[in-house]
Amino acid sequence: MIDGYNKLYGDWEKRWKNSQEKEQLSLLGRRMFKSKIKSMAEIISDIPVQTVIEVGCGLGYTLDFYCRRGFDCIGIDIAENAVACCKNKGLPVIREDLENIDEKYDLVSSDGMLEHFMDFQPYARHLMRISRNYVLLIQPNHDSFVGKTLVYLSELIKGDKNVFEYNFRINDFITVFSRNGFDVVKNIPVFQDVFRILLFQKRR
Ligand SMILES: C[S@@+](CC[C@H](N)C(=O)[O-])C[C@H]1O[C@@H](n2cnc3c(N)ncnc32)[C@H](O)[C@@H]1O
């Protein structure tokens, strides 16, 4: 485990505690998710992919999207509570740390994980290491007015129920991936630009 992240992992367990019984997306959450999967469906239909790993699959919303589209997919998460919730939903999931994955996948996907690390670069490199061709990230866009406002409101309302997120810019991700041989091939705004879907392809 990369040093100093025990507390963060504890925060995720706490965040997902009891999720199996009562976690539900809010109305806003449902709308955001709907527009996210609409854009993802368009992106995915354009690329040749069979195997998908969803890293940090949480409660399995994004993993469920990949499974329904018929990909050979697996979700991993470090948090036992998240894994139990995905299993309850019948999703293919294992409790594992990204660092310990050795197999390679056509598409490595991660939705809302990197922004929680003070230094996301080691994790970004692991995502690229296990990718045969593509990495897809879904990241909050801290340059968007609506995005910034929603993060601020959510912090005010939910306080430390939220797992802290750093305000990296979309360009930070693009720069780190590019330095490591992955070029951004799609950069799609979602839901008033609150999120960006970034698709990276390995440079040949
Ligand atoms: C914001 S959540 C993802 C939510 C998810 N996209 C969904 O659709 O429900 C981020 C997840 O990343 C997981 N995570 C953090 N570090 C990880 C690591 N090194 N390996 C695997 N999962 C990790 C956390 O436990 C957490 O569940």
Side-chain angles (χ1 to χ4, degrees), residues 7-147:
K7 181 186 171 300
L8 178 59
Y9 293 148
D11 289 349
W12 280 118
E13 283 299 3
K14 211 166 89 192
R15 172 69 185 83
W16 301 138
K17 200 168 171 220
N18 301 328
S19 293
Q20 293 164 66
E21 292 87 41
K22 59 174 190 221
E23 180 81 22
Q24 269 183 355
L25 286 178
S26 62
L27 181 65
L28 185 64
R30 281 202 295 276
R31 291 215 170 138
M32 281 183 188
F33 185 67
K34 231 174 137 182
S35 54
K36 195 154 85 178
I37 60 172
K38 188 169 171 268
S39 300
M40 280 173 73
E42 284 166 18
I43 292 172
I44 292 296
S45 66
D46 278 355
I47 58 174
V49 163
Q50 267 182 348
T51 56
V52 178
I53 184 168
E54 172 64 13
V55 177
C57 59
L59 302 185
Y61 294 108
T62 309
L63 174 61
D64 184 55
F65 160 82
Y66 288 119
C67 293
R68 283 176 195 272
R69 295 194 71 89
F71 294 112
D72 177 1
C73 51
I74 182 82
I76 62 162
D77 203 289
I78 199 82
E80 201 169 341
N81 289 323
V83 171
C85 181
C86 288
K87 281 191 177 155
N88 258 3
K89 295 177 179 174
L91 294 169
V93 64
I94 51 169
R95 186 175 183 211
E96 194 49 274
D97 191 317
L98 166 62
E99 287 175 70
N100 300 331
I101 301 292
D102 290 324
E103 209 172 315
K104 287 194 186 277
Y105 297 83
D106 299 337
L107 175 68
V108 176
S109 161
S110 191
D111 175 1
M113 182 182 79
L114 291 184
E115 69 272 25
H116 297 285
F117 298 112
M118 193 191 290
D119 177 5
F120 72 85
Q121 296 192 53
Y123 296 91
R125 285 194 202 100
H126 280 296
L127 295 175
M128 292 178 257
R129 174 181 61 78
I130 63 169
S131 166
R132 227 175 255 130
N133 205 356
Y134 295 101
V135 177
L136 185 146
L137 296 183
I138 302 176
Q139 294 301 144
N141 180 10
H142 288 276
D143 280 325
S144 123
F145 176 77
V146 183

